[in-house]
Amino acid sequence: KVQEAARKHKASWIELGQFLHTVYKNKFFKSWGYLTFEGYCKSELGLKETTASKLIKSYYFLEKDEPRLAKEPLAETHHPNTIPNYEAVNLLRLAKLNKNITENDFSELRKAVLTDTKEPKEVRAQIKQILASRQEEEKDSAEIRRDRRNTSIKRLITFLSNTKKELEVERLLPGYLLKQIADLTAKLEDQLE
């Protein structure tokens, strides 16, 4: 009985999310005398707006992306440890929208939330780690690009300087063109970081 109660407790958020989604989508709260969905949740259910929003969005995410979890009677068929936490599902939903999280990263997060049923704190830490590594990669790639740019500019400056000297010594170009080469060299030097 204790295990059954735990199962029902862990799975109840999905059912509550489904009901809240229906009430919100169909605006049933208005016919019950409430001007806003938030007012209904607070007065009638004792739920904060943020909690109700997370429940709805987490349920809708499951309905859309993991329909078997949204429709299956988890309270009857699953062990309590295999039912995902609504806040962890909400983090997974947000991760899917994040352009800095790759498909592979999302697959790992999905496994952590839906298969391993990690707690929100663990999922949040995993997301932070993924995003931090992406920032490092971007920083590294920006530094590499800057270094390549500087190397190319230096090579061009050296080539122009050597060519200008050769053209000057042999008097192969008029002075105004040699001055333009010198001006270009100076402008390129200004571009070095």
Side-chain angles (χ1 to χ4, degrees):
K1 286 187 182 254
V2 173
Q3 197 175 45
E4 183 180 327
R7 227 185 346 258
K8 285 179 183 175
H9 170 73
K10 292 264 315 223
S12 66
W13 79 261
I14 297 173
E15 187 176 20
L16 179 56
Q18 181 182 22
F19 291 145
L20 288 173
H21 181 260
T22 302
V23 167
Y24 178 78
K25 188 172 89 177
N26 297 314
K27 304 207 182 313
F28 290 144
F29 58 89
K30 288 188 176 189
S31 65
W32 299 333
Y34 293 94
L35 296 175
T36 65
F37 178 72
E38 294 78 16
Y40 163 73
C41 288
K42 187 175 182 181
S43 298
E44 200 67 31
L45 306 175
L47 288 176
K48 293 180 186 176
E49 177 184 349
T50 54
T51 304
S53 178
K54 283 181 188 176
L55 286 166
I56 290 172
K57 290 174 181 176
S58 296
Y59 167 76
Y60 185 69
F61 173 79
L62 286 183
E63 183 182 80
K64 199 173 69 179
D65 290 24
E66 303 291 335
R68 66 175 179 79
L69 288 174
K71 302 298 179 201
E72 194 175 317
L74 298 180
E76 298 167 15
T77 58
H78 285 64
H79 189 275
N81 289 344
T82 63
I83 301 170
N85 178 292
Y86 80 92
E87 289 187 75
V89 172
N90 189 52
L91 289 168
L92 181 64
R93 176 187 71 81
L94 292 172
K96 186 170 186 176
L97 300 174
N98 192 320
K99 62 180 170 60
N100 295 318
I101 295 180
T102 66
E103 285 185 38
N104 288 340
D105 293 334
F106 182 77
S107 292
E108 288 179 28
L109 287 169
R110 183 183 174 282
K111 180 183 179 297
V113 172
L114 302 178
T115 304
D116 302 339
T117 60
K118 301 258 182 189
E119 290 297 313
K121 184 172 112 176
E122 296 170 290
V123 175
R124 198 172 286 111
Q126 189 174 350
I127 291 171
K128 282 182 182 177
Q129 183 181 10
I130 289 168
L131 294 176
S133 72
R134 288 289 163 268
Q135 284 179 332
E136 281 298 314
E137 288 172 8
E138 286 176 15
K139 181 181 164 192
D140 289 346
S141 68
E143 287 175 13
I144 290 168
R145 199 168 47 251
R146 186 189 71 230
D147 290 345
R148 264 199 340 247
R149 180 180 181 272
N150 284 339
T151 301
S152 295
I153 291 172
K154 286 176 184 175
R155 203 175 10 216
L156 183 56
I157 289 170
T158 302
F159 173 77
L160 286 173
S161 296
N162 291 338
T163 304
K164 180 183 168 283
K165 284 178 191 172
E166 187 179 319
L167 292 170
E168 251 178 335
V169 169
E170 307 237 357
R171 297 178 191 221
L172 297 174
L173 283 180
Y176 75 93
L177 285 177
L178 294 172
K179 176 152 178 21
Q180 286 180 352
I181 293 173
D183 291 345
L184 178 58
T185 303
K187 287 178 184 177
L188 287 169
E189 286 172 347
D190 289 343
Q191 292 297 313
L192 290 172
E193 295 177 2

